[in-house]
Amino acid sequence: MRALPAELYAQALELAEAADMEGLQDLFEAAKEKADEKSSKRLDKAKSYLFSNEGGLKKEVPERGLGTMEGQIDKILAHRMKKRGMSWTLDGAHRMGIMLALRENGELDRRLGQTSVPVHAPIVPTPQPLSLPIDPGGWLRASLPALTGPHGSRPWVAALRGIAGLGALA
């Protein structure tokens, strides 16, 4: 883009996408004939780069394309395995990676259907009916034996009276 004139750039891009190396050769030669010395050096550098990476231009891309595969795998694994206060063994991390890959490829449900491990529902305890004590007001008649026992004159008993709100009875 920096080396070729604007009118030739679009044509060069089409030739590079088609991996037409002969067409690129002709295009660069035609551009070089019209170029000054500085532009000529940029053209040589761009041409050298393209022809050095010719194998990358000619690689066949799968029908579905690669898209942003690495970036997405990185995010999926990072979100599941980091920042959740968990630690992983190497085996556990490997197994989780396989599970995440199966989920992303839409194969997890099918694979889980093939497992022979029985899945048990959690046992939910049946609620017991509530029952009231025979004397529901009995707790109101509670007493603190320490207040009237043999240690009634000790400082900790005085503190207990204060906590119970019975400081006036001292």
Side-chain angles (χ1 to χ4, degrees):
M1 186 173 180
R2 294 183 200 129
L4 290 168
E7 63 272 5
L8 294 179
Y9 173 71
Q11 185 181 353
L13 187 60
E14 288 176 16
L15 292 169
E17 287 176 349
D20 182 357
M21 302 314 282
E22 291 176 15
L24 279 170
Q25 176 75 26
D26 295 341
L27 184 117
F28 273 98
E29 286 176 11
K32 196 168 182 178
E33 289 175 5
K34 300 176 186 175
D36 60 10
E37 188 177 328
K38 187 177 180 183
S39 297
S40 181
K41 286 183 181 181
R42 280 196 308 245
L43 283 167
D44 286 339
K45 191 174 180 181
K47 179 182 169 188
S48 173
Y49 176 79
L50 283 173
F51 282 83
S52 295
N53 293 294
E54 180 180 351
L57 295 174
K58 292 183 177 181
K59 284 186 179 175
E60 291 186 25
V61 178
E63 185 179 315
R64 221 173 108 197
L66 296 176
T68 55
M69 180 175 63
E70 284 186 23
Q72 291 305 314
I73 287 177
D74 156 85
K75 305 291 182 286
I76 291 167
L77 287 173
H79 287 301
R80 177 63 180 95
M81 300 180 76
K82 289 184 177 178
K83 300 178 185 170
R84 293 186 179 195
M86 298 180 210
S87 62
W88 295 85
T89 64
L90 202 52
D91 286 342
H94 179 72
R95 289 184 186 111
M96 180 55 68
I98 291 171
M99 295 293 284
L100 293 172
L102 288 171
R103 185 188 71 193
E104 293 302 312
N105 292 332
E107 298 175 22
L108 183 61
D109 291 335
R110 182 179 60 80
R111 285 280 188 96
L112 289 176
Q114 295 174 353
T115 62
S116 61
V117 178
V119 178
H120 299 288
I123 299 171
V124 179
T126 53
Q128 298 295 323
L130 294 176
S131 62
L132 293 175
I134 297 171
D135 182 14
W139 66 274
L140 290 172
R141 292 184 295 279
S143 66
L144 291 172
L147 297 178
T148 57
H151 304 292
S153 61
R154 295 197 178 169
W156 64 269
V157 176
L160 189 58
R161 280 194 187 98
I163 291 171
L166 303 171
L169 298 174

